[in-house]
Amino acid sequence: MSIKSIFTSIKSNPFLRNVAILSSGTIISQLIVIATSPFLTRLYSVEAFGLLSVFSSFAVFFAVLSTGRYELAIGLPDDSRKAAKIFKLIIYIGTCVSILYLVLIFLLKDIIHIQDKTGFLANNQAYLAPLYIFFGALYSALGYWNQRDKRYKRITIANAFQVIGTSLFSMLFGVLKFESGLILSLILGIIISSIFLLLTDKKLLNELSGSNKGVLEVGKEYSSFPRYMILSDLSLTACQQFIPILFSALYNTTIVGFFSMANRMIRLPNIVITSSVGNVFRNDAIDEIRKQGNCAKLYSSTFKKLLLMSFPIYLIVFAVSPKLFSIIFGAKWEIAGYMARIMSVALFFEFISAPLNTLFYIFEKQKILMRLQMANAIFIFISIFLGYYLKKDYLLSLTFYMIISVLSSLVFLYFTHNLSKNEGRKI
């Protein structure tokens, strides 16, 4: 098949076309991440990457509360005015939660003087976490608002601004020997992309300037999202974000730095492809379920596409990552390559299952998802502690984590496959 025929096939298939639009900007952005990483590993120490990982893990974990998970409901109302009220509710929640975190950090750090083993509160950068959390809430809401109208190009541009801005500022601060450069760059990147999405959307700005009447009513109408999804997503985020925190507490910041770089590089396929597939799959699934009560055919075709994409990607990663890391980033980063090899097995299965998990939200099965993710989080923590308890070996902890992650992905696939066949259910 020629390249021209491939592009023709993508253009003629709405699903593939939308995935391609969402992926294109992310691909360019991640190429910049790859291109700048060899320089960043020489501008910053391994410990600096470890501190960045711990900071972002804490911030992303607590950011789950900053939206009440109402952003997942933005695409559900037929009336755009109701969706705008949900957006406004998220702004209010995000502001209150961010202020609460700022007060809490001040109390723990400067009044009570808690000395946590992770080192998060030991650095003044902890005060930047509420700012990152607020803009994270805003950016998430803006993303779902644009997905509602299938404005994938705008999302693509915003994602590109975020990653490119973060990478360029990281390089600049690194050259200037700015100690907190990686953390500041992370925050500046999300601020730039959020402002772009907000200021270029006149429709949304007009809606936000209107009356607050009805905001509490939509909050009550979609209360199942905070009621079930906060605990559920806290569990999921804990699995993803607390690994650096646990490694920092059990081992040291250097090990966290190696893990951070491995995670930064190996998750590129998931960042580039799965989020785009998941966004398009969710919208197409909603349309298909409204018409015929199920999305079994769409689920099957999406599953096959994900499987065909993921297998060659992670087979190559598994085979060459240790050597590749040492060549690109320097000999001291070879350990990160071995970590990447172990993680590649788990990410292969996550690549397939994660986009399809949107069916839990569509069919309002948040309670089931919450229980599954809470169980997964518990087993993840046990697996990491087990590696430390048996041999005090971070690679063993990572191997146990990989096994639990694979089993978890298989369980999620079992449930979403059954949901896709939910005959007669319309939304």
Side-chain angles (χ1 to χ4, degrees):
M1 182 180 289
S2 65
I3 294 177
K4 183 178 179 180
S5 62
I6 292 174
F7 279 109
T8 302
S9 175
I10 291 173
K11 289 180 67 176
S12 62
N13 187 312
F15 181 89
L16 292 177
R17 184 173 65 249
N18 289 331
V19 169
I21 291 171
L22 277 174
S23 298
S24 58
T26 312
I27 290 172
I28 295 171
S29 303
Q30 296 308 315
L31 286 175
I32 292 176
V33 170
I34 294 171
T36 57
S37 290
F39 298 99
L40 294 178
T41 55
R42 290 162 174 84
L43 290 171
Y44 295 95
S45 65
V46 178
E47 289 79 8
F49 282 95
L51 290 173
L52 170 67
S53 185
V54 171
F55 174 89
S56 59
S57 293
F58 271 111
V60 171
F61 177 76
F62 289 111
V64 172
L65 300 176
S66 65
T67 63
R69 307 313 286 156
Y70 278 110
E71 73 270 32
L72 299 170
I74 288 177
L76 298 182
D78 291 329
D79 186 0
S80 62
R81 289 174 296 181
K82 181 183 283 189
K85 292 184 186 302
I86 297 173
F87 188 98
K88 189 176 287 189
L89 177 63
I90 293 169
I91 298 281
Y92 295 150
I93 294 172
T95 302
C96 293
V97 170
S98 298
I99 293 172
L100 178 63
Y101 285 153
L102 182 62
V103 173
L104 184 61
I105 289 170
F106 174 73
L107 290 174
L108 293 176
K109 179 176 171 58
D110 294 321
I111 303 299
I112 303 176
H113 298 291
I114 286 183
Q115 299 296 322
D116 65 302
K117 291 185 178 181
T118 66
F120 175 72
L121 291 174
N123 296 287
N124 289 328
Q125 291 85 354
Y127 283 116
L128 296 174
L131 181 64
Y132 180 74
I133 287 169
F134 172 77
F135 278 98
L138 177 61
Y139 187 67
S140 179
L142 286 165
Y144 280 92
W145 172 264
N146 281 277
Q147 288 171 30
R148 172 185 171 82
D149 296 325
K150 299 185 178 182
R151 291 182 291 185
Y152 299 122
K153 288 183 180 179
R154 287 170 54 83
I155 300 171
T156 297
I157 295 170
N159 288 341
F161 278 157
Q162 181 181 357
V163 179
I164 293 170
T166 300
S167 298
L168 292 178
F169 278 116
S170 295
M171 293 281 290
L172 175 62
F173 291 140
V175 171
L176 296 175
K177 305 294 182 183
F178 205 70
E179 184 181 356
S180 306
L182 292 173
I183 294 174
L184 281 173
S185 301
L186 181 72
I187 296 170
L188 288 171
I190 200 167
I191 290 175
I192 290 169
S193 55
S194 298
I195 291 174
F196 163 76
L197 284 176
L198 189 61
L199 295 184
T200 56
D201 195 327
K202 293 183 179 179
K203 177 184 175 183
L204 178 60
L205 289 173
N206 289 334
E207 293 287 356
L208 293 178
S209 63
S211 171
N212 292 329
K213 185 179 179 181
V215 172
L216 290 178
E217 283 72 13
V218 296
K220 293 177 182 177
E221 182 178 349
Y222 294 99
S223 61
S224 62
F225 285 92
R227 190 163 65 246
Y228 297 123
M229 294 317 302
I230 285 179
L231 279 177
S232 174
D233 287 351
L234 276 174
S235 301
L236 175 63
T237 308
C239 295
Q240 296 173 340
Q241 302 298 332
F242 266 29
I243 297 172
I245 295 172
L246 279 175
F247 272 104
S248 179
L250 295 176
Y251 299 104
N252 55 61
T253 310
T254 301
I255 296 300
V256 179
F258 288 129
F259 173 84
S260 173
M261 181 55 66
N263 194 51
R264 180 188 178 100
M265 292 294 106
I266 199 175
R267 281 195 177 271
L268 290 178
N270 288 47
I271 294 171
V272 170
I273 300 173
T274 59
S275 60
S276 301
V277 173
N279 291 335
V280 176
F281 173 75
R282 180 182 60 254
N283 290 335
D284 288 353
I286 289 173
D287 292 340
E288 195 163 315
I289 294 164
R290 280 174 177 162
K291 293 177 183 177
Q292 56 191 31
N294 71 81
C295 59
K297 289 183 179 178
L298 176 65
Y299 182 95
S300 178
S301 63
T302 305
F303 175 87
K304 291 174 182 176
K305 291 183 180 78
L306 289 166
L307 180 63
L308 289 173
M309 285 188 285
S310 62
F311 183 75
I313 291 173
Y314 285 108
L315 180 62
I316 294 171
V317 170
F318 185 86
V320 305
S321 56
K323 190 68 175 177
L324 203 60
F325 270 69
S326 62
I327 292 173
I328 295 176
F329 306 121
K332 67 179 180 180
W333 290 95
E334 187 175 6
I335 295 173
Y338 284 105
M339 286 183 162
R341 171 176 283 175
I342 296 171
M343 293 163 61
S344 67
V345 180
L347 290 175
F348 164 73
F349 288 92
E350 182 185 308
F351 187 102
I352 300 170
S353 66
L356 303 173
N357 285 344
T358 56
L359 288 182
F360 286 105
Y361 307 126
I362 294 172
F363 284 109
E364 297 185 27
K365 298 295 183 181
Q366 296 98 326
K367 193 172 183 179
I368 295 175
L369 182 60
M370 176 187 70
R371 290 172 177 172
L372 290 174
Q373 290 179 339
M374 287 182 69
N376 184 43
I378 292 170
F379 283 113
I380 288 290
F381 292 145
I382 292 173
S383 68
I384 294 174
F385 275 112
L386 188 60
Y388 178 79
Y389 177 78
L390 291 177
K391 287 190 175 182
K392 290 185 172 58
D393 186 346
Y394 59 89
L395 290 179
L396 185 61
S397 291
L398 201 60
T399 301
F400 286 151
Y401 155 74
M402 178 269 291
I403 293 170
I404 295 298
S405 296
V406 169
L407 293 174
S408 174
S409 293
L410 293 174
V411 170
F412 282 124
L413 284 171
Y414 170 79
F415 276 91
T416 54
H417 180 256
N418 287 339
L419 284 174
S420 72
K421 299 184 293 184
N422 196 356
E423 297 291 345
R425 175 74 182 275
K426 294 190 177 183
I427 58 174

